[in-house]
Amino acid sequence: EYAYIAKQIAKHIRDGTPANEIAILARRNADVATFATALSRRSIPFVAEGDDPVLSHSIVQGFMTLLRAIAHFGDDALLYPVLVLPYSNISNLDIYRLTTAPLYKDAALYQFLSDDTALAACGVRDKEACFALYTFLEAAARASRALPLISAIEQIFSRSGCLAYALAQRDAFVAVDILRAFFRYVQTLIEAHPTFTLRELLHALEEARDYHLAMAGRAHRQASGVRIMTVHRAKGMEFDRVFIPNMHDRRWGGRRHP
């Protein structure tokens, strides 16, 4: 649906509709970032106006996934999501082999990731990528305990590949602004709670996400473009063409269904 709407918007712009007279109204803030990605892939200018896009941005979510695994180093359940991060450098086929191996052998995923013999036994081809990920996670877990917390997080961010991945995106300016807002908020939390551990910081960030606390992200904006916003922000506005995606009761209905 997202790709289809982006295609239709591109057609309307070619036919003469000004980009700033086109709007996409989203039900949830998370959808704003998804549509921004869809328009970026077609090089369509846009202005994303979610209620607060920082913690809902996919790169921030991915980085928090990585931090959770580091904070709970040794927990297989939190390691699985790290394998599929775009900067884990592990191929899809090797991810499949790694994630299915514990089903047939009595061993933890962390053990497979760091054991040459176990990796060979389950058919993993790029063993060096697995060793590198394990070594990074182990070193990051030590750093999170030994260094000042903000220094440890900055080190993890730069060495994980997350920063390089963000800069390689088409909407790199958006990603960088979102990440700056994220780190400003993290700095504020740590200054307010100097004794925070990484686990405690993550708990505070998850509360901020759950309660939709604003982080004052300075979203990068084009001079003009397709407006992507939540319905709440669109009150009182008018556009020539409006797209309202996901029009079904479970997304827009006011009552929950069993």
Side-chain angles (χ1 to χ4, degrees):
E1 183 180 7
Y2 300 139
Y4 175 78
I5 288 176
K7 180 180 178 181
Q8 292 302 305
I9 287 173
K11 179 179 182 299
H12 288 309
I13 292 173
R14 286 196 305 271
D15 291 344
T17 303
N20 59 3
E21 286 295 338
I22 302 174
I24 301 174
L25 305 186
R27 177 69 178 86
R28 303 182 308 178
N29 192 62
D31 296 329
V32 173
T34 304
F35 273 108
T37 300
L39 296 188
S40 292
R41 287 173 177 165
R42 285 188 166 268
S43 300
I44 298 172
F46 64 87
V47 177
E49 301 184 70
D51 294 331
D52 186 57
V54 176
L55 286 179
S56 65
H57 195 280
S58 59
I59 292 179
V60 171
Q61 289 181 336
F63 185 57
M64 287 181 63
T65 294
L66 181 62
L67 291 178
R68 284 188 204 100
I70 291 167
H72 300 266
F73 181 76
D75 187 333
D76 276 5
L78 295 174
L79 176 59
Y80 282 101
V82 171
L83 299 180
V84 299
L85 291 175
Y87 38 88
S88 74
N89 296 320
I90 298 179
S91 71
N92 289 337
L93 188 55
D94 279 348
I95 290 171
Y96 172 77
R97 288 166 173 154
L98 282 168
T99 54
T100 56
L103 298 176
Y104 305 103
K105 300 180 183 294
D106 186 20
L109 180 57
Y110 267 99
Q111 181 179 334
F112 279 97
L113 203 62
S114 58
D115 188 316
D116 183 87
T117 302
L119 289 173
C122 63
V124 169
R125 294 185 178 181
D126 191 351
K127 292 186 286 185
E128 292 304 317
C130 296
F131 295 150
L133 179 60
Y134 179 87
T135 301
F136 167 75
L137 292 173
E138 185 179 40
R142 287 199 304 269
S144 71
R145 297 188 298 271
L147 297 178
L149 188 53
I150 189 64
S151 299
I153 291 172
E154 289 172 347
Q155 184 182 102
I156 292 166
F157 180 63
S158 61
R159 295 182 180 180
S160 65
C162 183
L163 175 59
Y165 174 75
L167 293 175
Q169 303 307 298
R170 283 189 176 184
D171 59 345
F173 288 113
V174 177
V176 168
D177 282 342
I178 291 290
L179 288 166
R180 282 176 179 164
F182 173 74
F183 276 101
R184 282 198 301 269
Y185 189 74
V186 167
Q187 179 75 58
T188 300
L189 284 174
I190 293 173
E191 288 174 354
H193 305 276
T195 61
F196 256 5
T197 63
L198 181 54
R199 292 188 184 189
E200 290 168 333
L201 174 67
L202 285 166
H203 179 70
L205 289 170
E206 286 159 1
E207 280 192 335
R209 178 199 60 204
D210 294 343
Y211 288 99
H212 307 289
L213 299 185
M215 295 189 181
R218 181 179 59 83
H220 175 78
R221 294 168 182 263
Q222 309 256 4
S224 67
V226 176
R227 305 284 291 276
I228 312 172
M229 65 187 77
T230 59
V231 173
H232 175 74
R233 281 187 174 261
K235 290 179 180 178
M237 297 183 179
E238 294 183 359
F239 299 93
D240 289 346
R241 297 189 181 276
V242 176
F243 291 84
I244 305 177
N246 300 311
M247 282 293 291
H248 54 82
D249 194 45
R250 288 186 179 274
R251 180 64 63 90
W252 290 87
R255 292 183 295 179
R256 296 185 179 273
H257 295 278

